[in-house]
Amino acid sequence: MPSAHPATEPDIEIDLARHQACSAAERYAEVRGLTELLARPLSAEDQTVQSMPDTSPTKWHRAHTSWFFETFVLAPHAGGYRPFHPMFGYLFNSYYETVGTRHPRPERGLLSRPGIDEIAAYRRHVDTAMADLLTGRELAPDVSDLIELGLHHEQQHQELLLMDIKHVLSMNPLRPAYRERAEPEPSSRPAPTWVDYPGGLVEIGHDGGRFAFDNESPRHLHYLVPFSLASRPVTCGDWLAFIDDDGYRRAELWLSEGWAAVQAGRWEAPMYWFRDGPWQVFTLGGARRVCPTEPVCHVSYFEAEAFARWSGVRLPTEGEWEAVAATHGRVSGAFLDLDILHPQPVPSGKGLHAMFGDVWEWTSSAYLPYPGFQPAAGAVGEYNGKFMVNQHVLRGGCCATPAGHVRSTYRNFFPPVARWPFAGVRLARDL
Amino acid sequence: MPSAHPATEPDIEIDLARHQACSAAERYAEVRGLTELLARPLSAEDQTVQSMPDTSPTKWHRAHTSWFFETFVLAPHAGGYRPFHPMFGYLFNSYYETVGTRHPRPERGLLSRPGIDEIAAYRRHVDTAMADLLTGRELAPDVSDLIELGLHHEQQHQELLLMDIKHVLSMNPLRPAYRERAEPEPSSRPAPTWVDYPGGLVEIGHDGGRFAFDNESPRHLHYLVPFSLASRPVTCGDWLAFIDDDGYRRAELWLSEGWAAVQAGRWEAPMYWFRDGPWQVFTLGGARRVCPTEPVCHVSYFEAEAFARWSGVRLPTEGEWEAVAATHGRVSGAFLDLDILHPQPVPSGKGLHAMFGDVWEWTSSAYLPYPGFQPAAGAVGEYNGKFMVNQHVLRGGCCATPAGHVRSTYRNFFPPVARWPFAGVRLARDL
Amino acid sequence: MPSAHPATEPDIEIDLARHQACSAAERYAEVRGLTELLARPLSAEDQTVQSMPDTSPTKWHRAHTSWFFETFVLAPHAGGYRPFHPMFGYLFNSYYETVGTRHPRPERGLLSRPGIDEIAAYRRHVDTAMADLLTGRELAPDVSDLIELGLHHEQQHQELLLMDIKHVLSMNPLRPAYRERAEPEPSSRPAPTWVDYPGGLVEIGHDGGRFAFDNESPRHLHYLVPFSLASRPVTCGDWLAFIDDDGYRRAELWLSEGWAAVQAGRWEAPMYWFRDGPWQVFTLGGARRVCPTEPVCHVSYFEAEAFARWSGVRLPTEGEWEAVAATHGRVSGAFLDLDILHPQPVPSGKGLHAMFGDVWEWTSSAYLPYPGFQPAAGAVGEYNGKFMVNQHVLRGGCCATPAGHVRSTYRNFFPPVARWPFAGVRLARDL
Amino acid sequence: MPSAHPATEPDIEIDLARHQACSAAERYAEVRGLTELLARPLSAEDQTVQSMPDTSPTKWHRAHTSWFFETFVLAPHAGGYRPFHPMFGYLFNSYYETVGTRHPRPERGLLSRPGIDEIAAYRRHVDTAMADLLTGRELAPDVSDLIELGLHHEQQHQELLLMDIKHVLSMNPLRPAYRERAEPEPSSRPAPTWVDYPGGLVEIGHDGGRFAFDNESPRHLHYLVPFSLASRPVTCGDWLAFIDDDGYRRAELWLSEGWAAVQAGRWEAPMYWFRDGPWQVFTLGGARRVCPTEPVCHVSYFEAEAFARWSGVRLPTEGEWEAVAATHGRVSGAFLDLDILHPQPVPSGKGLHAMFGDVWEWTSSAYLPYPGFQPAAGAVGEYNGKFMVNQHVLRGGCCATPAGHVRSTYRNFFPPVARWPFAGVRLARDL
């Protein structure tokens, strides 16, 4: 049985090619600079608030990503490095048990100090030391790997920064915008089509070439029953039909735990939707009308799963998603670089749309280790493996993901109840 | 590639053969009678208490299992059936949303009425009507199927009744026994050995012959990497070594959510263990010393997973477990019929021990639908599918499971934090 | 300035006279027997349930009152007394810190053992030892005082037993009766009248003669502004007018904390009222229509206070209440002995009605020590003083209070949010 | 019996005299300016954080006090006034139900917008309109009264601003100072003496002359038993003896609810004390060693009451406190104007010390209406009366109270569990 895995992923390749052309120092500067760029529209007050235990203040993200380089790269590998502040190791460790105790996560919003200026200084302090390191003698491979990891880590926090500040701003009755954005031109809503896949034994997981997180390995065989994947994500228009058909009021459509969440949270629509006459949605560009041809966003796994049941079909497994993503060539979608900060209306052309970018796509797969999985050695081994329970895998990236950060094997994960990620739905069905 | 699935499962077959020799009425009477037998050692007070939202009072189990037959068999299919009490449909519906509203689960322990005598009368009322139905004209296949489901449902509640009353009694500082049991003869602790399995494409799931729950279907192909399975469950002696090696105090051994559970629950040992000089364990036979050669029991998935990491190996997937269980012939183990109500010391012989009975075995597999899964039609379709999130699969049955209730394809499931099931650990490793 | 305090309280005197005619052993037997009489209509299941942390199971009351005699009388003062069970001191201590650790209050409903038969045996064991003590040589005054305290303590628990089982049964959708009672004959609703009091310096508190709790002492001077007291308690008819005038929906009528309680508890009427067409009320005799001429019962201090504000008047202070109660002669009212277990309709005659019995009357006085208050010596000093914060005083007794238990100086107390006591309202106003 | 009330309160008079010399516009500008002065050392981040539901962000205090003038003075009484922002009425209403809905109190810390610059603009907008009003034609007396109330309201929030920011900064492991302050010169600890008071009928409450809050009225007769008041507040040195004598570990010293608070909060010392070798205390000037001659501060009513019991005496009632305060002439103490932001060491001279200023003094009196109390008319009637339950009265003012704000009849109040006010203890005893 031939492997269903493709030789190349051209569009992502291009992006990576650009990165590979950069020097390590240039790439470091570029990634670090983007974080500061994302924080720039935010006031000192904006950067301080923590709206729920799951979110972190903007200034915490800025500090924590610096702490990562300080702790895992500079302290052990840059001779004579002087930590910026003796308490920052305590304040800005997220969850690395082996590195020591840390400030409690739900209390990050209680820290008015250090202020944003001191955090900017902290970032410069780390960046200066990193620049020295990166432009000095050649680095040992393990150090280079840690830096690469640190940059991917920072990219993840760039997306988190946007997810989190969106939630913070949404709690404000003034509904302030992060940045004003133009309203989308609503496309004509494309009819949903199905893309078939023959199934069989496929290889799944990262093949060990370019950078990948440990949770994407090892590459392994996986058997798939024949199936079809929807050509595009579920749109807001589709979702309005679900709402109008009492989707949020019919217990039989929901997982038991999902139904409990509907009732406890009084869910009636995706997160950030609200009624003001017609349905409105709060975006990073402020509140505006729901656009029916945009992919629906900010739904939980529970909602995705209920929507699929209501539709008479199901969600894809992560294996199915990856097999399809790997066999299709250039797939388009909005990443952070497009700077619209919201999923864009689906185009009306043929073929698969928006597999990458726009919205993360919930899969029916629980987030579990691949056969033979081994976490990375050392403290950075706490990166992924220890979260492998009670979460579901999402695939593909979103409009807040830095371009070049994802690939077809990339595994994002969140608890089924989470709604603040930029998460949407792509349907699948058995053939 | 040859299928690794065996032709027969002899020991379970024998048991089923006995059942098939029974008439339906005899089988009904036998299962229903066992429930009452299990309740007999319990006082009215014992049968009333609910020790936590997860547990139910004994008398509630007795009533709910009767409600199942009343609601799904008698009301629709027994002409002229008169329900025992107009409110019992409300009081004893567990979670069937399509059947109507119901009494809140956490408040089951607030119901002093109906008392145990009225519940006994309720059971007799239902049994009389069922006897009429079962001895009358031949039943339509769908009705027979519902009765079969009702009996398997009742068997599940027999195990739950014991799990729950154990928890109830354990909350009492007097540590009362459910029934006095003899202390086990400690066996010589057998050295753990590994049973290898070649992997490859196997068929998993129920083949559609005898009764099975909907969640065991459809039978489907599944690819396995070569692996080994431990010859016996982890014992209390093994677990003492884990405790002594600070297993409950080393964050790096635990899933993040598991570590939070350790701290929130102040876990230091399996549930029901306590120190009184040496480690003691509360059993359905009262408190006694921990026996090192017994399988460890009442551990959560989090503990099972941490133990496996500490051991340098891992838990099996449910596919691995099933593939091995199906290829091995007669496998021994203690079921409820053995009436020791506790896992028995592992024997010292060669080969696989206690795959069935003694303790349920946590697998690393999240409880998810098989490819092509369809819930049963109607209200009984709420039986399994709607719980397919945030749970892990356990396999094999336990000392509180009625004999004949399980099979190699049987999928039990609990949230990873649950400790009150009779759940233990069998290790696996990559080859 | 003359003292406003009267020479005698005739009606209560009569009752006490009867008690004084009894021997100590007879009085002990009578009080203890009443507890068992009150438990008799209750099944083993009824006696086991704890419906909220504030309530205790019937069998716990039966055991705890016995523990009181065992711990404070028999163990120290009856030579050779053998405690019934080594663990009962732990299980049935309510809150006496100086006596040792104890079973957590919210877990009293988790104790299926000891069962009601064993508790009956416990009571007999204590009663036999007490009978020996009471019929032996003359007791030292401090021992007699402890026994007297123990009997008053048991009388308090008789009322609590009824309050608590009413709450337990009310949680059951079957709405079972404790004992069937006849419906009241509704009286013609008497017009409310006001009884004036001239104010001035009065003496308040117990004068040291017959038994009183430590919190009623010392007797002390207290200055009163002239005021009037309503001739009768507020009736259900009065309350219906409050409800109909949106009393439960107008924030301006409520204390801030009371309004929060209304919203959190979704209060719309007194506790135990429910709509089934017209307003119904759950009583110890089962559910029946609200009777407009009955005193309203099971309202919190918050509700009493809001009702008074709505009425344009106020609640009395405990000093006002006591001054009036002491100057009026025979005042009628329903106590437990009348066996109607519910406040009776107010009569239409002139003068003060139901100052004693029927419903406890919330006062605007916080429960605080009198000037010069000293708690009783020893462990029984934990009886009253340590609760003197965040509670309000109620006066007069209720239909579940044993006759002869209360007096004009008696101070009952509950948190302002409590609704399960038999508590009602008598209004007052400034002259 | 002669009234015990004095003719004058000289020291407070002086301060008031200064205020009376001011024009209304000058006084307005002075009070409003102080608020801004207090906020000046705080960064935008500092001003945004809410550390618990009881505290409010600094910028919220700045806005809310402006909203008070906007809502109660400008909108109804300044023709053509244009509110600054249509949503600020919603965002900055604290608890006035009659004014409309409002932003939930526990979510004040989620509002990053409006930022501190916009709030400064809001204050200027209100101040400009107020200046016009105050310098225009003569104001009607009810408008003047509302302005006077608004200024006293703002002074209360000046103290709250400091209390709250102290709590906010204390949550930060960096322990930042609000403003650096010099360490105190420890005085020689003065021996505690007692000041006797003969008791009898006294007049309590405000006599209707200068401004007072509604809860200080009406002035009324009150009978006092002879008593003594301690000459000075309890010091940290006194408190260390309590701690060393296991004061926080002996249940018998505590009210029942207080003991529960000790255990739930793991209290071992006053709030803001921590061990770092010797006992340290976090102050608005940063952390430093506990000074034994300073009045103890940041203790709850529960702690005050337990300390008094341990000392063999008691707390004063508010009537006792007021009677003494009124008969003594000039009494010294540190107010906000002294700018030490912490209670100062007690002096060693004779007589009463620090009755006013330094620390609020818990009284044993529950916060209840005086006989004949009537709340102010209109929405401002929600100012005091609706909190009259489950709180205790504190008297005298503290080091964060603006000078001139308090008087001998002033009634402050907090729940017994509150520790973040600048609250201490003065003992009393019966004669």
Side-chain angles (χ1 to χ4, degrees), chain D residues 386-418:
Chain D
K386 76 179 188 180
F387 302 109
M388 290 179 170
V389 70
N390 287 351
Q391 316 237 18
H392 269 255
V393 173
L394 302 99
R395 292 296 191 114
C398 75
C399 56
T401 310
H405 179 64
V406 294
R407 58 210 147 260
S408 65
T409 60
Y410 194 101
R411 306 175 80 197
N412 196 359
F413 53 90
F414 278 101
V417 76

Side-chain angles (χ1 to χ4, degrees), chain D residues 14-32:
Chain D
I14 288 162
D15 186 61
L16 290 167
R18 183 171 60 89
H19 282 306
Q20 283 156 3
C22 296
S23 73
E26 284 167 338
R27 171 145 159 77
Y28 176 88
E30 185 185 58
V31 171
R32 294 278 291 169

